[in-house]
Amino acid sequence: MPLKPRHIPLRRPRPVRADGERHPTAGRTVGLGVQHALVMYAGAIAVPLMFGAGAGLTGPAVGALVNADVFVAGLVTVVQSLGAGRFLGVRLPLVTGGSFVCVTPMIMIAREYGLPAVYGSMIAAGLFGMLVALPFARLLRAFPPLVSGVVITVVGLALIGAAPGMIAGPDPAAADYAPPAHLALAGGVIGFMLLLRRFLRGFLAQVSVLLALLAGTLAALPMGLTDFSGVADADWLGLVTPFRFGAPTFPLARVVSMCVVMLVVFAESTAQMIAVGEAVERPLTDRALGRGLAADGLSGVLGGAMNSFPDTVFAGNIGLTLMTGIRSRYVTAAGGVVMVCLGTLPKLGELIASLPQPVVGGASLMCFATVAAVGIDILRRARLDRGDNLLIAAAAIGTGMLPVVAPRIYHRFPEWWQLVFGSPSTAALVVALGLHFVFHHGRRRAEGASAAG
């Protein structure tokens, strides 16, 4: 009698991306997305706080800016991660947030023309950015590894320079600067994170930053370093109100200046998108980068309507992606959804904003340092021992770090100079591209002309 084959039900396989890497399950995607949202939140609220202080806004208005900033950043993160149609979104695992490049120009416009002019100029600049995104991408995508490596290294080093302010306090001259309890707490968070990465596997290792943040907050409770009093006073629901400060106006001179700011944001985002593409082994095409820059332009339009800011790629989250090894864009999209929720739930946002600064600073330091390490790895492939590459890298890194170690060094220079060279990433980019052209392209043309003669 012939034996019948035993029927074994087949399990449905987990989805696999085009590059062969599996997506995390739905539950893990949400957990990893929350981790991304927590890492970016401290940086996201810094921009509206700086602008609010410079523009002389009161507490409720600043709170509205924070909600709007996180809300718009979440929307743009989803668009960048998943894409929207054929023209928007780079479709890489990245998180966006308000760009620090825009803060000073926006404060100047607010003081001269008022807030309606700030957001009208931003809308116009966003539309301009969406129109020129693809041509600008074709111009900038041909970064040699030397240029992109220099920019990413400077971005990482500049972020590392900001971490001590979160851990030890903003004023080194203050009597209570760098208390040992703060340093011990931040060091404990870093050590706990490293232990989790060393001894855990799977999902728990991937959410080591989230676990370290929670453990650090619990450790801070008996130390008296937590203050959640603002959570009780915050509203449960706070919808973002379009044009809260009035109908937008469009002074021509300030529209032009914000268009220049948008191009600077594009240059900043380009280097970081290239770094993400190289890190996850998905090199960018002209069209993909153009879609990513168009989404940055969209952030200007949305930011102008929702009283927010133009967005750029958050470098700290690049470091988080590399630390966890999770390269799925659905994870960062989930983080964007969490950010949208934070923007509409002020009580939840206040809870996250109340996390002890030494705890957030310790976790952020590791993410920031990872970004610098990525830039160094890219420079390693740039053949610094060849020709004048080492000289170019040294000049660009030195120029980029000047506004980090001496923030007021250009305070007597024109506004356009401060805009370009006051930003570490933009200054490094301009110097690296300029010197690369002079030392390589110019030399090749000269050698070609002499050979033809």
Side-chain angles (χ1 to χ4, degrees):
M1 180 177 177
L3 297 175
K4 292 183 179 180
R6 183 182 177 184
H7 175 70
I8 301 177
L10 296 177
R11 286 186 178 180
R12 185 177 180 181
R14 288 170 59 189
V16 178
R17 288 202 315 238
D19 60 6
E21 185 177 341
R22 293 180 175 179
H23 290 302
T25 61
R28 294 188 175 193
T29 297
V30 173
L32 293 165
V34 170
Q35 183 172 248
H36 269 287
L38 288 177
V39 167
M40 69 78 59
Y41 196 84
I45 66 175
V47 171
L49 290 178
M50 292 171 59
F51 173 70
L57 300 179
T58 59
V62 174
L65 290 180
V66 171
N67 289 345
D69 182 37
V70 177
F71 180 82
V72 172
L75 290 178
V76 177
T77 295
V78 174
V79 171
Q80 290 282 33
S81 299
L82 302 182
R86 298 172 53 193
F87 303 105
L88 291 173
V90 68
R91 295 178 174 88
L92 284 175
L94 52 83
V95 175
T96 67
S99 172
F100 287 92
V101 172
C102 310
V103 174
T104 299
M106 289 175 63
I107 290 174
M108 292 178 177
I109 298 174
R111 290 176 177 175
E112 186 176 359
Y113 294 97
L115 292 177
V118 172
Y119 293 112
S121 301
M122 190 187 303
I123 292 172
L127 292 172
F128 165 77
M130 295 177 73
L131 289 175
V132 304
L134 184 57
F136 203 72
R138 288 173 176 164
L139 176 66
L140 293 180
R141 194 187 68 84
F143 283 171
L146 173 65
V147 176
S148 56
V150 162
V151 173
I152 296 303
T153 301
V154 168
V155 168
L157 293 176
L159 290 171
I160 291 172
M166 291 189 281
I167 298 172
D171 185 8
D176 59 347
Y177 179 73
H182 288 204
L183 301 181
L185 183 58
V189 169
I190 294 173
F192 186 64
M193 190 187 310
L194 295 174
L195 287 175
L196 292 178
R197 292 292 297 175
R198 171 62 181 85
F199 294 106
L200 296 183
R201 295 290 182 270
F203 179 65
L204 291 178
Q206 294 161 358
V207 294
S208 58
V209 176
L210 176 59
L211 295 177
L213 287 170
L214 296 176
T217 302
L218 292 176
L221 288 173
M223 300 170 65
L225 298 179
T226 56
D227 181 11
F228 296 102
S229 58
V231 178
D233 299 330
D235 296 329
W236 279 106
L237 185 64
L239 298 179
V240 178
T241 304
F243 304 115
R244 175 188 176 95
F245 302 104
T249 59
F250 304 90
L252 180 59
R254 292 312 179 184
V255 167
V256 172
S257 68
M258 282 302 293
C259 288
V260 175
V261 170
M262 184 59 65
L263 294 180
V264 175
V265 171
F266 277 6
E268 184 180 20
S269 286
T270 296
Q272 300 193 56
M273 288 181 192
I274 290 175
V276 175
E278 291 187 358
V280 301
E281 298 177 353
R282 274 178 272 169
L284 289 180
T285 63
D286 289 348
R287 186 166 296 278
L289 180 56
R291 293 196 307 264
L293 297 182
D296 280 355
L298 175 67
S299 74
V301 177
L302 292 176
M306 299 291 183
N307 316 302
S308 180
F309 305 87
D311 286 334
T312 187
V313 180
F314 257 36
N317 289 86
I318 300 175
L320 180 59
T321 297
L322 298 174
M323 284 177 58
T324 61
I326 299 298
R327 303 175 176 184
S328 172
R329 55 197 177 99
Y330 291 96
V331 167
T332 52
V337 173
V338 173
M339 291 155 56
V340 171
C341 294
L342 292 175
T344 56
L345 299 174
K347 191 176 287 292
L348 188 57
E350 184 66 33
L351 177 65
I352 295 175
S354 301
L355 293 178
Q357 284 297 296
V359 174
V360 178
S364 299
L365 179 61
M366 289 298 296
C367 296
F368 298 162
T370 304
V371 176
V374 170
I376 294 171
D377 182 61
I378 296 174
L379 284 176
R380 181 180 56 82
R381 294 181 269 126
R383 301 294 302 273
L384 295 182
D385 59 339
R386 188 175 179 182
D388 300 297
N389 285 347
L390 183 62
L391 178 64
I392 296 172
I397 292 175
T399 306
M401 292 304 296
L402 272 180
V404 177
V405 299
R408 298 187 70 249
I409 192 169
Y410 298 128
H411 77 284
R412 295 181 182 273
F413 282 66
E415 180 182 338
W416 66 267
W417 181 280
Q418 296 181 43
L419 176 64
V420 175
F421 291 95
S423 166
S425 57
T426 309
L429 174 64
V430 170
V431 172
L433 277 177
L435 292 180
H436 185 271
F437 177 82
V438 170
F439 279 93
H440 295 293
H441 293 280
R443 178 179 296 175
R444 288 173 188 169
R445 291 181 180 178
E447 291 174 353
S450 61

